[in-house]
Amino acid sequence: MTTRYAMAVDTVRCVGCAACVIACKTENDVPNGGFRDWVVQQVSGSYPNLSLQIRSERCNHCDDAPCVDACPTGASFVAAGGIVAVDPDKCTGCRACMAGCPFDARYVHPDGHVDKCTFCLHRVQEGRDPACVENCPAGALVFGNVANPRSAIARLLASRRHEVLRPEAGTHFNLFFLV
């Protein structure tokens, strides 16, 4: 069976506590000023009919990743299961991948290479969930193999209305927002 990792963020359950951000920074030794994920609050409507959506955002791990295509050294690549990653030893810090990313999901590490969310690839390879998923107190993050119709994430996406950010980018996302 094919493996295609994806994450779903339940915008109804997310309370914006940023436990995902702290877990990621701790797990991946993200330096001050760096980020691999972040929390967004989006207000829509007009008074008195306002609504608030809270989202934990990160790299969308696109199937057709423009950041990978933009990288001149091959440092940005697609790893097993469709996880988009960066090899810091190949990265020159040119930022071409940053310009190619439609989600502004990359930053320059103080060591000079570009860094980003990897869905905690090192944990996934051990059969574990990403640190953000494991530490979300609201249970708002779900991760798994969306290519397996019996997986929790595939069943969730089949049963709940969901959206992606910037669908016009057409990059075939692997980050979904349950609404």
Side-chain angles (χ1 to χ4, degrees):
M1 177 188 315
T2 303
T3 300
R4 181 176 152 232
Y5 292 115
M7 184 177 289
V9 179
D10 190 332
T11 63
V12 175
R13 294 183 74 131
C14 181
V15 296
C17 68
C20 54
V21 175
I22 295 165
C24 176
K25 282 185 171 282
T26 302
E27 177 71 27
N28 296 292
D29 198 25
V30 177
N32 287 337
F35 61 89
R36 286 182 166 209
D37 62 341
W38 55 94
V39 175
V40 171
Q41 293 185 5
Q42 182 178 354
V43 178
S44 58
S46 55
Y47 182 80
N49 300 312
L50 297 171
S51 65
L52 172 67
Q53 184 182 73
I54 304 172
R55 297 187 303 263
S56 175
E57 294 184 8
R58 63 199 33 78
C59 172
N60 284 243
H61 296 278
C62 307
D63 287 343
D64 184 19
C67 56
V68 171
D69 294 338
C71 179
T73 66
S76 288
F77 66 100
V78 179
I83 295 174
V84 177
V86 177
D87 181 341
D89 295 328
K90 289 184 179 179
C91 182
T92 63
C94 73
R95 301 178 187 196
C97 62
M98 292 174 72
C101 175
F103 304 101
D104 198 25
R106 293 167 172 246
Y107 73 97
V108 178
H109 191 280
D111 292 342
H113 62 86
V114 173
D115 198 14
K116 60 172 286 304
C117 167
T118 62
F119 279 158
C120 289
L121 180 58
H122 61 285
R123 292 172 62 101
V124 172
Q125 290 170 334
E126 296 172 352
R128 299 167 61 200
D129 278 336
C132 59
V133 173
E134 188 175 282
N135 287 281
C136 178
L141 303 175
V142 178
F143 177 81
N145 180 5
V146 75
N148 177 353
R150 292 182 302 230
S151 70
I153 190 165
R155 289 191 323 263
L156 189 58
L157 292 173
S159 68
R160 291 271 307 271
R161 192 168 76 82
H162 56 276
E163 302 171 342
V164 295
L165 298 179
R166 305 212 39 208
E168 70 277 4
T171 60
H172 304 98
F173 320 99
N174 291 301
L175 179 63
F176 302 94
F177 297 94
L178 305 170
V179 292

